[in-house]
Amino acid sequence: MTKKERINNIKTLFLEYYKDAKTELNYNNMYELLIAVMLSAQCTDKRVNIVTPLLFKKYPSTRELSIANIDEVAEIIKSVSFFNMKAKNLVSMAKSVENNFNGKIPCNQKDLMNLSGVGQKSANVVLGEFLGLNYMAVDTHVFRVSHRLGLSKSIKAIETEKDLTKIFKDNLNLLHQAFVLFGRYKCKAIKPKCNDCFVIKYCKNKSNFKPQ
């Protein structure tokens, strides 16, 4: 089996097993998705989903959030990791959207990344999930899965993103979510469920890979 055939087989299997893969973050619009993604950095989706209902109710758009008291925002999200910094970023993001984008969340990677607290991974997740655009994002789950399958040898998440984008080319948004779900529930960091794995024959290494 050639390297290209191997990659194509892995891609096909993931798209078959996770053909309807979606984020587990709860949201109703792009504004809510962006906030949820920002809060999810180094935090579980489950925890984020606990705090966002009240946050979205009190600040239903960037207009309300842009004039919010940072301490009040922090109080709502205090169970989320790095809540003080995230509260500052949320308010700053909202101010920028109000002042520079007429209250509408920008729909391109460059503008999204210019918002406070939004890096390339977060921007790609939002664009891929909400708009279905062809972007790969690499979190700890995607990093671990891609390295266990020998799809990348890069030690940094951003470089791994480049590797996956190059070899897969399309369906990147779906593959991102598929890898996330697979890594979260099957190919776990500790005690991966290898006996219930549809790509076990392509597995190269069961180490717990973490980006540097």
Side-chain angles (χ1 to χ4, degrees):
M1 183 185 303
T2 66
K3 181 179 180 180
K4 184 176 181 180
E5 288 174 335
R6 182 176 180 277
I7 290 171
N8 286 337
N9 288 348
I10 292 173
K11 178 180 180 180
T12 298
L13 285 169
F14 270 96
L15 291 176
E16 286 179 354
Y17 274 78
Y18 295 96
K19 59 182 179 180
D20 298 316
K22 292 286 184 180
T23 181
E24 292 186 312
L25 293 169
N26 295 332
Y27 70 94
N28 295 299
N29 51 54
M30 195 171 182
Y31 162 73
E32 292 185 358
L33 175 60
L34 177 58
I35 288 179
V37 171
M38 291 173 67
L39 292 176
S40 71
Q42 295 181 282
C43 186
T44 65
D45 289 1
K46 183 178 180 179
R47 170 54 52 186
V48 172
N49 288 336
I50 292 174
V51 305
T52 50
L54 178 57
L55 188 68
F56 296 157
K57 182 178 181 179
K58 190 166 184 178
Y59 311 108
S61 73
T62 52
R63 183 180 61 179
E64 293 84 6
L65 186 58
S66 67
I67 56 175
N69 180 289
I70 293 176
D71 291 336
E72 292 180 0
V73 175
E75 179 64 23
I76 294 174
I77 66 170
K78 64 182 180 181
S79 64
V80 171
S81 59
F82 307 106
F83 65 93
N84 281 320
M85 179 58 70
K86 288 178 179 179
K88 293 178 182 178
N89 284 336
L90 288 177
V91 175
S92 179
M93 174 276 292
K95 288 182 184 294
S96 181
V97 171
E98 283 295 305
N99 295 332
N100 302 319
F101 301 101
N102 297 314
K104 296 182 179 180
I105 304 299
C107 296
N108 65 82
Q109 187 191 65
K110 181 181 178 181
D111 287 338
L112 278 173
M113 289 176 63
N114 281 329
L115 301 176
S116 295
V118 183
Q120 185 164 312
K121 176 176 74 69
S122 296
N124 288 1
V125 171
V126 171
L127 294 171
E129 171 70 20
F130 193 80
L131 299 176
L133 299 183
N134 193 44
Y135 282 102
M136 172 59 67
V138 176
D139 66 357
T140 55
H141 298 301
V142 177
F143 188 89
R144 180 173 64 255
V145 170
S146 59
H147 282 70
R148 283 179 172 174
L149 291 175
L151 299 173
S152 174
K153 294 182 179 179
S154 300
I155 62 175
K156 295 184 178 180
I158 195 68
E159 295 301 324
T160 300
E161 177 195 311
K162 292 179 182 178
D163 293 339
L164 296 179
T165 298
K166 182 178 180 179
I167 64 174
F168 288 138
K169 295 182 176 58
D170 55 23
N171 290 298
L172 299 180
N173 55 318
L174 291 175
L175 288 167
H176 157 71
Q177 294 297 352
F179 275 39
V180 169
L181 295 175
F182 179 67
R184 183 174 292 160
Y185 298 111
K186 297 290 185 181
C187 195
K188 300 180 179 182
I190 307 299
K191 296 182 179 180
K193 298 181 179 180
C194 300
N195 292 330
D196 185 28
C197 177
F198 60 90
V199 286
I200 186 65
K201 70 177 182 179
Y202 299 109
C203 186
K204 294 285 188 178
N205 193 323
K206 294 181 178 62
S207 298
N208 183 17
F209 294 94
K210 294 182 179 180
Q212 295 184 10

